[in-house]
Amino acid sequence: NQVVSPNIFQNNIQLISKKSPILSALLSQVSKIGIAEQNKNGETSVQINGNFILNKLYPKAEAQKRIESILSQNNSIICVFGLTPLYHIECIREKFTGKIVVYEPHAPLLKTVAEVHELSKILSDPKLFIGANFDELSKIMRHQLKERDIVGVYGLPFYTQYFPKECAQLTQFLDDEIKAIRSSILVKKEHSKHHTTHFLRNLPYIASFPTIENLRNIAKDIPTVLVGAGPSLSKAISFLQEFQRNLFIICVDVAVKSLIKHQIYPQMICTLEQNDISWRTLQDLDLENSFLAVGESANPNNFSLRTKGKFIILQENHDFIPEFAKAIHHQTIETCATVTSAAFQIAKLSGGNPIFLCGQDLGFTGNEVYHKDSSFRETEVIEKKVDELSKKNSFFRRTCLSCC
């Protein structure tokens, strides 16, 4: 990544070749990767693999000319293919108030160019984000993209000419990534709306039932099993049937049907679901010997279920809930908005020891999403959608795996 005059590089290689032909050959390959040159105006142009990224004689003027079209659009984020000696980034910064995201596979080389030619102050701009690969680019976009952002894409002629395949892949990647991020934002907004509505409807129940703090040490030193709805639950069924009398079983809502079908009755059921899928399944099951722990914003119909007793879960990660809990002198728990996390916190609170996990493999094990008898598995809409999307869209499949 050293930036030097090509003549100095070649002269040194010739000198070294007399002592070490192997080292000379290696240096010859390095010299072909990147060379920076200055013109008579003191402007720097860079060669990568023997090709100039910008005009050799007038790189700054070319950069200014190239960015005019994209600056005329109403963008709030500009994605740039290529860092170059930063002239075009400098031009964008001067006229653009939004965020600049740069994809540059040769980032170390070009950052060195910037440092040598006193342009490195541009790299410290808090509006500038540089990714050297798709993973880095994905993290940047997920942190920076907002719902109403308009993204403009700007590709330097050098990159589109010499890396057409990579540019096409990058364009598709950005398109998929932006769609996925926007979908996630919409889901979060919808979730937030239901959270507030259900919380208000649940206030009378929150006032009537104890919180899960009252479960402290109820299973102290009893082997506790935390049951999820993953496909591997099938392997644990026979064990649970044989030893259920010696266990404290905590089950997530969508897995309850799988257990009761095999005459396994959990002492504790946990639900955070805002929709009615799990509730509709639970209402047809015998739950009179089970306690039910219900999230403060879960579907209000859960409180109509006939159970041994009910407890309220106040979630740390939900909007205003921490302040609400403090006002009524109750504690919250960190659930990460997942029912399994909530169930695990209950297992710890209850004093279970040791704590075992089963059915927690929600990652397309054997191309199955959930255990065959779970509530979600019986929902045809979900099953068909997952099958359809995972076949058509590899990004959807990656997203499912990361979420689960």
Side-chain angles (χ1 to χ4, degrees), residues 198-316:
H198 288 343
F199 171 74
L200 292 173
R201 290 181 61 190
N202 288 341
L203 276 174
Y205 304 115
I206 294 172
S208 303
F209 293 108
T211 66
I212 58 171
E213 296 167 50
N214 291 271
L215 297 174
R216 190 177 297 278
N217 293 328
I218 65 165
K220 186 172 178 57
D221 295 328
I222 298 175
T224 298
V225 182
L226 178 54
V227 180
S232 68
L233 176 57
S234 299
K235 299 177 182 179
I237 291 295
S238 59
F239 170 82
L240 294 173
Q241 284 176 321
E242 184 175 355
F243 296 103
Q244 64 175 307
R245 291 185 179 180
N246 306 110
L247 302 171
F248 186 74
I249 300 174
I250 303 175
C251 187
V252 303
D253 45 11
V254 293
V256 176
K257 186 174 182 179
S258 299
L259 295 189
I260 291 182
K261 182 177 179 180
H262 295 90
Q263 289 77 52
I264 302 167
Y265 297 91
Q267 285 89 338
M268 178 67 63
I269 299 166
C270 185
T271 183
L272 304 178
E273 283 295 335
Q274 295 180 351
N275 59 46
D276 63 357
I277 295 174
S278 58
W279 166 72
R280 289 187 180 281
T281 303
L282 292 174
Q283 70 173 346
D284 296 326
L285 302 176
D286 179 8
L287 308 178
E288 292 191 3
N289 291 314
S290 301
F291 289 106
L292 179 67
V294 187
E296 83 288 319
S297 58
N299 191 308
N301 289 319
N302 283 296
F303 289 100
S304 66
L305 296 170
R306 297 181 62 184
T307 62
K308 189 174 182 180
K310 295 180 178 68
F311 297 86
I312 303 296
I313 302 171
L314 297 174
Q315 300 176 76
E316 173 72 28

Side-chain angles (χ1 to χ4, degrees), residues 46-114:
V46 177
Q47 291 184 57
I48 293 181
N49 297 332
N51 299 296
F52 280 100
I53 296 177
L54 288 172
N55 188 297
K56 179 179 179 181
L57 299 177
Y58 309 105
K60 194 166 185 177
E62 182 186 18
Q64 290 174 331
K65 183 179 178 181
R66 296 284 182 188
I67 66 162
E68 289 302 324
S69 61
I70 196 160
L71 289 176
S72 65
Q73 300 172 30
N74 187 27
N75 298 308
S76 46
I77 294 180
I78 291 180
C79 291
V80 184
F81 299 175
L83 195 58
T84 77
L86 296 175
Y87 291 123
H88 62 310
I89 303 296
E90 188 177 23
C91 294
I92 294 172
R93 284 174 67 246
E94 290 173 357
K95 301 180 180 180
F96 180 64
T97 58
K99 298 167 186 173
I100 307 167
V101 179
V102 182
Y103 172 69
E104 177 50 74
H106 302 94
L109 168 70
L110 293 164
K111 285 180 180 179
T112 306
V113 172

Side-chain angles (χ1 to χ4, degrees), residues 21 24 34 38 52 68 100 113 115 142 147 154 158 166 197 203 210 232 250-251 272 291 357 365 371-372 390 393 398:
S24 176
Q38 279 190 316
F52 280 100
E68 289 302 324
I100 307 167
V113 172
E115 290 168 6
R142 287 184 176 276
E147 182 183 4
Y154 166 53
F158 168 83
E166 289 82 354
T197 303
L203 276 174
S232 68
I250 303 175
C251 187
L272 304 178
F291 289 106
L357 307 180
T365 305
H371 182 256
K372 60 182 180 180
S390 62
N393 191 329
R398 285 191 287 117

Side-chain angles (χ1 to χ4, degrees), residues 386-403:
V386 167
D387 185 54
E388 178 185 334
L389 289 170
S390 62
K391 285 178 180 177
K392 290 184 178 179
N393 191 329
S394 61
F395 183 82
F396 172 82
R397 188 176 180 84
R398 285 191 287 117
T399 303
C400 283
L401 286 169
S402 64
C403 288

